[in-house]
Amino acid sequence: MGVKRNWGWDSISEWNLAPRFWNTIRYTWYLGFTSFGGPPVHFKIFHDRFVTRLQWIDEQVYQELFSVCQAFSGPGSTKMLYCINLIHDGFLPAVLGFLIWSIPAAIGMLGLAIGVSNIGDTLPRIAYALLSGLNAATVGIIALAAVQLAEKAITDKLTRVLVFLGAAAGLLYNALWYFPVLMLAAAIIAVIHDFRWLHPPVKWVMSKVPGRRGRKNREPEPEAAAEQGNGVELSQTASQQPEAEPTSSRPPSSPAKPTRQRLPFTTQDTNTDADDHPADDDHPADQDQDRPPSPRTVPASHQLNKHLTWKTGLLIILVFLASFTAVMILRGVLQPAPLLYRLFANMYLAGTIIFGGGPVVIPLLREYIVAEGWVSARDFLIGLAIIQGFPGPNFNFAVYLGALTASGAGYSPVLGAVLGYLGIFLPGLVTVHGTVGVWGAIRGWRWVRSALRGVNAAAVGLIYTAVYRLWQIGWIDEGRERGSSLADDPWWVVVTATSYVGGCWFGVSPPVACVSGAILGLVRYGVVG
């Protein structure tokens, strides 16, 4: 007897798009209007909706998609939604779902750009105070996201080191080619470490060190000795304290990590065992009409390869790399290149090489747009402050910058917005589309998982780079239109700390934190003037 297939799309013809389009619209139409809070919140919304309730994909596929979306360039949460729709309903419904997800905030950012392009060279000081408060709160939000992502990315000493080195390297240098090189280096280091390729030569070198030759019974390292001591204590007291947990080298203030992998960006563990998920007969239609038949009987590899083979996926990736090479060559050959082409090329480059998602792409876009002289630092900071309160992907910031660039050069802001939108989103969506097909074939390769682990850790480290760069330009005022460090005034330090503590300890959502930061900025204006 073959595997029972009870997927919701089995009864839908590959060429009958109307039911699949309706399926996508029905379950995703509101996400672009209500998904505030950035990628961490977006991932939790998608898990609750598409894994727990609708069961479009299972837990294993969700975890693998999360790793793939985080490990490669582009908007992480946007790619996750695209992949879920791609696996469940196919390519065209996935494109429709992406548009539904991203267009609402894109229209809002276009409107903001048109308004900002019509204001004068200076703003009232009260407006600067409000925007500085928003920026300070944003730094706290991104810092908290960096800490939370680091807690999930760090699984051992290697990933801890890679997070630190990624952050340190990003702080010390900045160039267009630099971040992809960091990601590649992290992947290579992880593979070398996991396969222990350096262990034999290191042992040979250590054996040649004077004073160590012949030392067969070395004194154990402090960490190992502590583990051995703990093991002895536990074995001696096991009969008295059967539930005692083994201690580790972790500081007392840090709780021990559970042995079972936790779901990224969720507050509770999810177990996919059948005992924890009653059969569909226990959930009648009158209780939950949105729940389709359970997909647990379908293997994960089948889910990933339902609409795409590895050969097609590889072809898509190769075509993208060829297009990227052509765009960059034309960017250098055309002298002078038209402004709108340079705008698209810079956005295409940013969407291709920027890892870490929205928290990283926003400040780094400053190097591709403001440094070119297309948008003023003041207008950049205005958009940066306001987009934090928008739903959907933060990559829509490129729409705002594209519209301002085109408007400042005498072109239609709509044309600039479209070029920015396509340039920033296309690379991530195309590469993840091809990767989903290839991933079904290579997902079991050990070196691939090792490389992804290293890339993910280094990408998290780059978020700390974003925190630093925003911190350095967050305060805008008369005479500070290009932005100055928030550390220049203790008030902004307090606003940043308030945003971080509110989200970390009291569960304050990012939109509420941004509004609170704006209010505190107005308070400072009322006191200082």
Side-chain angles (χ1 to χ4, degrees), residues 155-224:
T155 57
D156 56 10
K157 288 183 179 180
L158 173 67
T159 48
R160 188 181 301 276
V161 170
L162 289 177
V163 169
F164 168 74
L165 291 180
L171 291 175
L172 295 175
Y173 188 72
N174 184 34
L176 298 180
W177 55 268
Y178 187 53
F179 296 107
V181 171
L182 288 180
M183 298 297 103
L184 178 61
I188 294 174
I189 292 172
V191 171
I192 292 175
H193 174 274
D194 290 350
F195 281 81
R196 299 179 176 269
W197 287 343
L198 292 182
H199 282 58
V202 169
K203 288 182 179 180
W204 182 85
V205 171
M206 295 302 294
S207 67
K208 301 300 181 181
V209 175
R212 299 184 63 90
R213 187 177 302 172
R215 293 178 58 185
K216 298 181 180 180
N217 298 321
R218 286 193 308 167
E219 182 180 352
E221 296 180 0
E223 215 171 6

Side-chain angles (χ1 to χ4, degrees), residues 16-253:
N16 189 7
L17 292 176
R20 289 190 282 153
F21 279 146
W22 170 243
N23 204 35
T24 301
I25 295 172
R26 178 184 179 187
Y27 295 115
T28 62
W29 69 268
Y30 61 91
L31 293 176
F33 299 94
T34 62
S35 298
F36 295 90
V41 179
H42 297 164
F43 281 116
K44 184 178 186 304
I45 291 173
F46 297 159
H47 180 271
D48 293 343
R49 183 67 172 170
F50 299 112
V51 179
T52 303
R53 187 176 181 188
L54 295 177
Q55 298 184 9
W56 281 10
I57 58 176
D58 62 24
E59 182 65 28
Q60 179 183 353
V61 171
Y62 178 89
Q63 294 284 356
E64 294 183 5
L65 287 179
F66 173 79
S67 297
V68 170
C69 292
Q70 288 293 98
F72 294 96
S73 61
S77 56
T78 299
K79 292 187 295 183
M80 173 66 86
L81 180 63
Y82 177 84
C83 289
I84 292 174
N85 283 314
L86 176 66
I87 291 172
H88 189 266
D89 289 314
F91 169 63
L92 292 179
V95 173
L96 176 62
F98 159 70
L99 295 175
I100 294 173
W101 161 252
S102 59
I103 287 294
I107 294 175
M109 293 308 293
L110 171 61
L112 176 65
I114 294 174
V116 170
S117 64
N118 291 312
I119 63 177
D121 294 334
T122 60
L123 293 174
R125 293 202 67 190
I126 187 173
Y128 286 130
L130 184 146
L131 293 172
S132 297
L134 284 173
N135 286 336
T138 299
V139 172
I141 293 170
I142 298 178
L144 178 59
V147 172
Q148 292 174 339
L149 285 170
E151 290 176 348
K152 300 179 186 303
I154 293 173
T155 57
D156 56 10
K157 288 183 179 180
L158 173 67
T159 48
R160 188 181 301 276
V161 170
L162 289 177
V163 169
F164 168 74
L165 291 180
L171 291 175
L172 295 175
Y173 188 72
N174 184 34
L176 298 180
W177 55 268
Y178 187 53
F179 296 107
V181 171
L182 288 180
M183 298 297 103
L184 178 61
I188 294 174
I189 292 172
V191 171
I192 292 175
H193 174 274
D194 290 350
F195 281 81
R196 299 179 176 269
W197 287 343
L198 292 182
H199 282 58
V202 169
K203 288 182 179 180
W204 182 85
V205 171
M206 295 302 294
S207 67
K208 301 300 181 181
V209 175
R212 299 184 63 90
R213 187 177 302 172
R215 293 178 58 185
K216 298 181 180 180
N217 298 321
R218 286 193 308 167
E219 182 180 352
E221 296 180 0
E223 215 171 6
E227 292 177 0
Q228 293 173 6
N230 290 336
V232 172
E233 279 187 26
L234 287 173
S235 63
Q236 291 175 350
T237 60
S239 59
Q240 300 176 1
Q241 298 180 352
E243 297 181 359
E245 297 181 358
T247 58
S248 66
S249 58
R250 192 181 306 277
S253 59

Side-chain angles (χ1 to χ4, degrees), residues 347-401:
M347 291 297 185
Y348 203 69
L349 177 63
T352 301
I353 71 173
I354 292 180
F355 293 78
V360 176
V361 72
I362 290 177
L364 294 184
L365 280 177
R366 189 174 189 268
E367 305 297 328
Y368 305 145
I369 302 297
V370 177
E372 296 279 358
W374 301 337
V375 175
S376 69
R378 184 206 67 178
D379 293 348
F380 179 90
L381 292 172
I382 290 175
L384 172 65
I386 294 178
I387 196 175
Q388 303 303 320
F390 271 58
N394 288 337
F395 272 56
N396 275 323
F397 191 50
V399 173
Y400 170 82
L401 297 177

Side-chain angles (χ1 to χ4, degrees), residues 168-479:
L171 291 175
L172 295 175
Y173 188 72
N174 184 34
L176 298 180
W177 55 268
Y178 187 53
F179 296 107
V181 171
L182 288 180
M183 298 297 103
L184 178 61
I188 294 174
I189 292 172
V191 171
I192 292 175
H193 174 274
D194 290 350
F195 281 81
R196 299 179 176 269
W197 287 343
L198 292 182
H199 282 58
V202 169
K203 288 182 179 180
W204 182 85
V205 171
M206 295 302 294
S207 67
K208 301 300 181 181
V209 175
R212 299 184 63 90
R213 187 177 302 172
R215 293 178 58 185
K216 298 181 180 180
N217 298 321
R218 286 193 308 167
E219 182 180 352
E221 296 180 0
E223 215 171 6
E227 292 177 0
Q228 293 173 6
N230 290 336
V232 172
E233 279 187 26
L234 287 173
S235 63
Q236 291 175 350
T237 60
S239 59
Q240 300 176 1
Q241 298 180 352
E243 297 181 359
E245 297 181 358
T247 58
S248 66
S249 58
R250 192 181 306 277
S253 59
S254 301
K257 291 186 179 180
T259 56
R260 180 160 60 92
Q261 183 180 5
R262 284 186 175 272
L263 172 68
F265 304 112
T266 58
T267 57
Q268 61 184 5
D269 292 332
T270 304
N271 192 338
T272 56
D273 294 340
D275 295 339
D276 292 336
H277 293 280
D280 291 330
D281 294 338
D282 298 333
H283 301 279
D286 58 344
Q287 293 181 7
D288 191 353
Q289 296 180 358
D290 291 340
R291 183 186 294 269
S294 170
R296 288 190 299 274
T297 58
V298 179
S301 58
H302 175 76
Q303 297 181 41
L304 292 172
N305 292 328
K306 172 65 180 177
H307 295 278
L308 194 65
T309 65
W310 72 269
K311 293 181 181 179
T312 306
L314 181 60
L315 177 62
I316 291 173
I317 294 175
L318 292 177
V319 170
F320 166 76
L321 292 177
S323 70
F324 175 77
T325 302
V327 169
M328 292 302 105
I329 290 176
L330 287 176
R331 181 175 177 269
V333 171
L334 296 177
Q335 296 295 338
L339 173 65
L340 293 182
Y341 179 79
R342 284 186 288 152
L343 169 66
F344 174 78
N346 278 18
M347 291 297 185
Y348 203 69
L349 177 63
T352 301
I353 71 173
I354 292 180
F355 293 78
V360 176
V361 72
I362 290 177
L364 294 184
L365 280 177
R366 189 174 189 268
E367 305 297 328
Y368 305 145
I369 302 297
V370 177
E372 296 279 358
W374 301 337
V375 175
S376 69
R378 184 206 67 178
D379 293 348
F380 179 90
L381 292 172
I382 290 175
L384 172 65
I386 294 178
I387 196 175
Q388 303 303 320
F390 271 58
N394 288 337
F395 272 56
N396 275 323
F397 191 50
V399 173
Y400 170 82
L401 297 177
L404 283 180
T405 299
S407 177
Y411 297 100
S412 168
V414 176
L415 178 58
V418 171
L419 290 176
Y421 180 85
L422 294 176
I424 203 69
F425 280 110
L426 274 179
L429 293 180
V430 173
T431 53
V432 81
H433 187 112
T435 303
V436 167
V438 176
W439 183 253
I442 67 174
R443 55 196 294 270
W445 297 2
R446 183 183 168 195
W447 71 268
V448 172
R449 294 182 176 274
S450 295
L452 283 178
R453 193 166 68 101
V455 169
N456 193 32
V460 170
L462 290 180
I463 301 180
Y464 290 95
T465 301
V467 173
Y468 171 76
R469 298 192 187 282
L470 288 177
W471 176 267
Q472 291 297 99
I473 61 171
W475 183 15
I476 52 178
D477 202 348
E478 290 182 358

